[in-house]
Amino acid sequence: ADSAALARRPRGVGGLRVPAQRARIVAKGSDFGRVLFDANGQVVYVFEIDRQNRSNCTSADCVKAWPPVLTREPASAGAGVDEGLLGTIRRSDGKLQVTYNGRPLYFYEHEGPGEIKCHNVDLHGGRWWVVTPRGERAS
């Protein structure tokens, strides 16, 4: 399979919970400047209360609302993304979650491709932010 196919997940809300074979993170323009998306065009978030390379979004409620960005193989960097900042962590359920600048990445359940509804919103114990290509929260 070509790398583009390996980077994609199934479409739709259910697809947010399915690991890509090899997730790809890309930078695109948004209302918050250039921020990170996956190969399906879904924006990714970081969680304020996560620790370096450790997710604190572990409750069933949190994981349902904020599906971790999952991959089976190490993630790849698309346009505008620093490959050196990409990584993975092993979640408690054994799945591989993509990280950027040491911060675990998530989708939001109630968004479609290209939508950003929850930047700087406080849910499940902390704020959620979209991410710049430098690995910082967008302003």
Side-chain angles (χ1 to χ4, degrees):
D2 67 303
S3 61
L6 295 176
R8 280 195 292 274
R9 300 169 288 98
R11 297 179 191 284
V13 175
L16 295 177
R17 304 178 198 289
V18 178
Q21 185 65 35
R22 184 163 193 237
R24 177 181 298 137
I25 303 300
V26 301
K28 290 186 187 169
S30 77
D31 290 346
F32 304 100
R34 284 178 73 72
V35 299
L36 304 185
F37 294 80
D38 84 335
N40 287 55
Q42 193 83 17
V43 78
V44 300
Y45 290 86
V46 294
F47 189 26
E48 177 183 24
I49 66 170
D50 278 353
R51 298 285 164 257
Q52 186 79 4
N53 290 312
R54 180 161 161 249
S55 171
N56 281 317
C57 179
T58 53
S59 72
D61 279 353
C62 190
V63 170
K64 181 179 188 319
W66 300 94
V69 179
L70 300 175
T71 189
R72 296 186 195 282
E73 299 171 24
S76 65
V81 170
D82 182 345
E83 189 140 32
L85 293 180
L86 274 174
T88 56
I89 57 169
R90 182 84 52 191
R91 292 183 60 82
S92 55
D93 62 7
K95 293 177 175 163
L96 269 187
Q97 182 174 6
V98 181
T99 63
Y100 197 71
N101 198 24
R103 313 234 17 186
L105 299 179
Y106 305 86
F107 302 120
Y108 180 55
E109 177 183 44
H110 302 290
E111 286 177 349
E115 292 185 316
I116 303 178
K117 298 180 183 172
C118 281
H119 180 58
N120 211 25
V121 170
D122 196 334
L123 287 168
H124 297 99
R127 292 196 171 273
W128 297 83
W129 296 307
V130 292
V131 193
T132 72
R134 294 181 59 178
E136 297 157 354
R137 71 180 190 188
S139 52

